[in-house]
Amino acid sequence: MRRLLLILLLVLAFATVGAKRSKPVTIVFDGLDAPATLAEKQVVRSTSSMTIDGVEHPVGFVTLARDGDLLGEHRIGRLIAHDGAPITWPGGADRLCTRADGATLQLVDGAIHLVTHHECQPAVVYDTTLAQAEDGALTAVSAVPIDAAAVGGIGNACAASPSPWGTHLGSEEYEADVRLLQPDGTVAGNHEGYNYFSAYFRGTLHGVHPYALGWIPEIDVATTPTTVTKHFAMGRFSHEQAIVLPDQRTVYLSDDGTNNALFLFVADVQGDLSAGTLYAARFTQRDDAFSLEWISLGHATNDQVAPHVGGVPFDSLFATADAKPGECPEGLTGINTSAKHECLAVQPGQELLASRLETRRYAALRGATTELRKAEGIAWDPDHGRVYLAVSAVARGMTAGHKKWDAGRDSGDHIRLAKNRCGVIYGGEVAAKTKDTDGARIDSKYVLGGLRPFVTGVPEGERCAIDAMANPDNVAWIPRARVLLIAEDTDHHDSNVLWAADLATEPPTLTRLMTTPLGAELAGINWFPDVGGWGYLTVNVQNPYSVNPWMGASYEGGIPDGANRSYLGVLGPFPQF
């Protein structure tokens, strides 16, 4: 196998918030070729070593557990109902979620905890206790499912991030459309798989409401018992990831799906996300880049919203009318979001609830951009004072004048890019002294003023070029390094790839650090520079052998028993640098 070397010059750049330069460090990763044989496409492959200033260090992917593994009294990934007992299939077998996603490492009283999402409907989050050897090697000791009954359970738990104060920030993706709610508590067409959530309540959704899902859950494993808090002040939409910036107040929030938005939350108090002001971005395109303005969606607290997540009639929040695009009645505004074209107006006095229960719709009514296609992971780069956003595919509402996804939007067509099925990673610098579109000061020094492309996927035929990124999902930045880590979720490569992108070169140099079994997604990447004196990148390999239209005969001979179970693991250990 050809050895690819990625030489990364690690320089502490002069950041926006001010910092002294540090001594450069040269890192060399042992990269991978693309998997060429079926055998290589059936396993997890990873880099095996790196050098720091010429000194070699072993590093690689370590599987800590796989879905179904028994760790103590619990099987990783086993779904749990509201009563704390396992959810089973009709024959009595445990229901396993083979979609390990967001993950963080938490150090509590000297013990290392791996907190992992299992992205199903309903979802389950596991807390796995790890042991650490002197050489930094980690092993799984025991695992327990986290009890989320106090917040009505968790649905579609996607990406995660560590908060600066040591908690786990989760996500609930793909919220159901309340306009489709039926008298029995289900939603028509099982929109976004919401009806599957009935398993959490032993087969019923009676007395449950879609407004209970679609939030940012914060999990604190340092408390006894573990506490779970859903932050209603941060808005309800298809949360992919929340990233808290160094002031411990500014949070960027991505919204995954079609015709979705980008949000900014500024908390009132450091380390407390229960109250704050929410903003939505308005994009103005300049060639392939954008300037951003921020539209205030108002201030709210968890306590103000909490009494209403059990159910508020949609028509008590909005006046509605059925009309063709461009023909909304007077007093109503035409918007186009993930729910497609609608004619709406906020009912008098309902601005606060509309802004939090129906955040994307409310943002669209205020003139925000709701054209993003699969806005995914976010990363903070302290070296350059920059935020990165992965957009998995440039399509639908992001293209010019789309017949369905741009129709009837009174605020206009803000994004008019050429289609790119392989995706783009955008980035931009943050700044202080920024005002919102109403002329009010945004109380943050970390306000994103624009986005431009940094890494671009390359379409090739009906797929994506094998040596280029395809459909970026999670992203992470290693501080002091001009390297962005990119995890794919793609059908356009046979095996998904974890890339290291050296942004010091133009175009960025990409090196493979990991590849997956067929059909699997790489997920859950977060960088932890010092856990017990060692660095780790959390990495999960989600849902191997899932359906992929390009694979054809690759599955010839069948899938080995249990091969579709996720891998929960880390890339590491990294020495301190």
Side-chain angles (χ1 to χ4, degrees), residues 458-545:
V458 180
E460 189 173 88
E462 295 186 53
R463 303 188 75 185
C464 300
I466 195 168
D467 291 323
M469 171 193 77
N471 303 122
D473 192 358
N474 293 174
V475 288
W477 182 264
I478 301 179
R480 299 183 61 224
R482 292 186 178 185
V483 58
L484 184 70
L485 301 176
I486 305 166
E488 293 183 342
D489 177 10
T490 185
D491 289 341
H492 296 300
H493 288 158
D494 283 355
S495 294
N496 279 224
V497 180
L498 175 64
W499 297 101
D502 179 4
L503 301 186
T505 64
E506 181 57 43
T509 302
L510 298 180
T511 294
R512 292 178 188 83
L513 300 186
M514 288 180 62
T515 66
T516 70
L518 292 165
E521 166 189 345
L522 281 155
I525 65 169
N526 280 301
W527 170 248
F528 296 88
D530 185 3
V531 178
W534 295 90
Y536 303 94
L537 182 78
T538 53
V539 188
N540 293 328
V541 179
Q542 180 187 116
N543 208 25
Y545 295 97

Side-chain angles (χ1 to χ4, degrees), residues 336-349:
N336 198 320
T337 67
S338 58
K340 305 182 183 68
H341 175 259
E342 297 175 291
C343 300
L344 301 178
V346 179
Q347 297 283 20

Side-chain angles (χ1 to χ4, degrees), residues 245-320:
L245 270 59
D247 63 353
Q248 299 191 24
R249 295 177 57 239
T250 303
V251 188
Y252 284 93
L253 302 155
S254 53
D255 181 17
D256 188 4
T258 294
N259 271 23
N260 290 6
L262 177 64
F263 296 96
L264 163 68
F265 179 77
V266 182
D268 293 349
V269 178
Q270 286 185 338
D272 182 356
L273 303 178
S274 66
T277 302
L278 187 61
Y279 301 86
R282 180 182 175 95
F283 287 57
T284 299
Q285 185 173 337
R286 293 181 174 86
D287 298 322
D288 60 352
F290 307 92
S291 61
L292 299 182
E293 298 174 282
W294 293 97
I295 298 171
S296 175
L297 307 185
H299 182 277
T301 69
N302 286 355
D303 290 343
Q304 288 175 310
V305 182
H308 306 281
V309 300
V312 174
F314 188 86
D315 59 9
S316 73
L317 300 177
F318 299 98
T320 67

Side-chain angles (χ1 to χ4, degrees), residues 67-69 73-89 92-101 116-126 144-148 153-157 193 195-202 566:
D67 291 327
D69 286 352
E73 298 178 358
H74 299 279
R75 294 192 182 280
I76 289 284
R78 180 167 59 187
L79 295 179
I80 303 296
H82 73 287
D83 55 15
I87 298 172
T88 60
W89 295 109
D94 288 340
R95 279 186 58 181
L96 288 178
C97 180
T98 60
R99 301 183 62 83
D101 204 302
T116 308
H117 293 175
H118 293 262
E119 188 186 13
C120 289
Q121 188 72 303
V124 66
V125 181
Y126 272 81
V144 295
I146 290 173
D147 183 2
I154 295 174
N156 285 332
N195 298 345
Y196 297 135
F197 198 73
S198 62
Y200 188 72
F201 293 101
R202 299 297 181 191
S566 295

